[in-house]
Amino acid sequence: MAFLNSINTKAKAFFNSGFGTNSNSYGGRFLNKDGTANVQKRGMGFFNRISWYHTLLDMPTWKFIMIILIFYIVINFAFALIYFVIGIEYLNGIDTSSSTWVQFGQAYFFSAQTFTTVGYGHISPSGFLTSAISAAEALTGLLSFAIATGLFFGRFSKPVAFLKFSHNAIIAPYQDITALMIRITPYKNTNFTDIEAKITLGMNVLENGNLSNKFYFLDLEYDKINALNLSWTLVHPITEESPLFQFDAANFANTTGEIMVYIKTFDDMYSTVVATRTSYTFEEVVYGAKFKPMYSRSSDNSKTILNLNMLNEFERQPVL
C-alpha cells in the first residue's frame, strides 16, 4: 500500500469522518463511483442486514422486471402443482381425456386466471379443498399485485439527483497556482436550485511512525450556487493551506488517497432536496489538464447548446 511520508502541516485534518483512522480498514476506496459506500457488512444473518424494500427500489430495472416475472411464473407453477396433486377432476372444464402435460398446462392457466382475479369462467373449482386453495390464491394475488404496484410507483417516483460527474478529477492551472477540478452537469429536463457541494480528501499518511487515514475538508472557490442549468466545475485552489500543496504527478501516482464529492440540491420536479455523491481515487486524478467547454451558441444564436457528451473531455495543459 502506498502512503505519504509527510503532509502539509498547515492543512487541518478532522477525525469524525465515518470511515475511521485505521489504515488497515481501507478496502481500496471509501465510496464506489456510484456513490454507495464500499462496505460489506458481516456479523449478522443475511436477512437481518438487508432491506428488501431498498434493494428492490435500487436494483437495475431489468433485474426488477426479471424478479417480477420469475415470481409470477413460479407461484403459478406451485399452485398448479397443488391443484394437480389434489386431483384434476376437481377442476370443472378440464379435458380429462387429454395428456398429463396438457392437463397440467390447463391447471397452470387456471392458476394464472385465479391469481390475477381475471376468472374467465372456462375452468372452475369444485369441492371444498380445491375451492379453499383457489380462494387463498386469489388473496395471495391481490396482496402480491398491491406490493408490486407499490414498488413500481416507488421506483418511478423516487427522488433522484439527475447529475453526472466527470470520469476524472483534474489538476489544472488556476490563476497563479493550480487547482483540483471536478465537473458536474444535469442531464435531464430538471431544474436544480440552491446547489451545495462539499469535497472531502482521505489519504494514507505516515505520522510519527504510524500509518493512518487522514481526512481533510477541501475549500472550494464556490461551494454554493443559485441554479444549475449548464455545467459546474468544482474548483479547489491548491494554496499553502491545502493538503494537496506541492503535490506533483509522482505524489498522486505513489500515494493512496481518495477524493469524495457530495452534492445536495433542490429539485423543482420532486419539490424536495435530492443528493448524490461519488469519489475519485488518486489513480483517477489527471495531473496537468483542463476541461474543454461543454456549451456553445446555437446556429441562430437563440439558444445555448449543452453538449453532454463533452462532460469528460479534457486536454493536456502544463502546470507549474
Side-chain angles (χ1 to χ4, degrees), residues 34-62:
D34 61 1
T36 58
N38 186 30
V39 175
Q40 185 180 78
K41 298 177 182 178
R42 297 180 180 178
M44 293 180 64
F46 175 78
F47 294 102
N48 290 328
R49 53 186 168 86
I50 188 172
S51 167
W52 290 109
Y53 179 73
H54 288 85
T55 301
L56 289 170
L57 286 186
D58 290 336
M59 69 171 49
T61 301
W62 70 270

Side-chain angles (χ1 to χ4, degrees), residues 163 193-198 262-266 273-276:
L163 294 169
T193 57
D194 297 329
I195 306 97
E196 181 179 354
K198 293 181 180 180
Y262 303 85
I263 303 291
K264 182 172 63 175
T265 181
F266 183 83
V273 174
V274 293
T276 187

Side-chain angles (χ1 to χ4, degrees), residues 145-167:
F145 278 99
I147 294 172
T149 301
L151 289 171
F152 269 108
F153 180 77
R155 289 176 62 89
F156 182 77
S157 62
K158 182 180 67 173
V160 176
F162 293 111
L163 294 169
K164 281 192 178 297
F165 294 88
S166 57
H167 288 332

Side-chain angles (χ1 to χ4, degrees), residues 81-91 126 130:
L81 189 61
I82 293 173
Y83 293 131
F84 200 79
V85 170
I86 292 174
I88 208 69
E89 64 273 11
Y90 292 103
L91 292 177
S126 65
T130 307

Side-chain angles (χ1 to χ4, degrees), residues 191-228:
N191 295 315
F192 293 120
T193 57
D194 297 329
I195 306 97
E196 181 179 354
K198 293 181 180 180
I199 297 182
T200 301
L201 169 67
M203 58 183 169
N204 291 156
V205 177
L206 187 63
E207 191 174 51
N208 299 324
N210 296 317
L211 186 63
S212 62
N213 293 327
K214 289 286 187 179
F215 296 91
Y216 304 86
F217 289 125
L218 299 187
D219 295 328
L220 297 176
E221 178 188 33
Y222 299 103
D223 60 3
K224 294 180 181 179
I225 57 176
N226 293 330
L228 179 58

Side-chain angles (χ1 to χ4, degrees), residues 71-101:
F71 173 78
Y72 180 77
I73 293 171
V74 169
I75 196 168
N76 280 300
F77 183 88
F79 275 106
L81 189 61
I82 293 173
Y83 293 131
F84 200 79
V85 170
I86 292 174
I88 208 69
E89 64 273 11
Y90 292 103
L91 292 177
N92 296 327
I94 287 185
D95 183 8
T96 56
S97 63
S98 58
S99 66
T100 301
W101 286 110

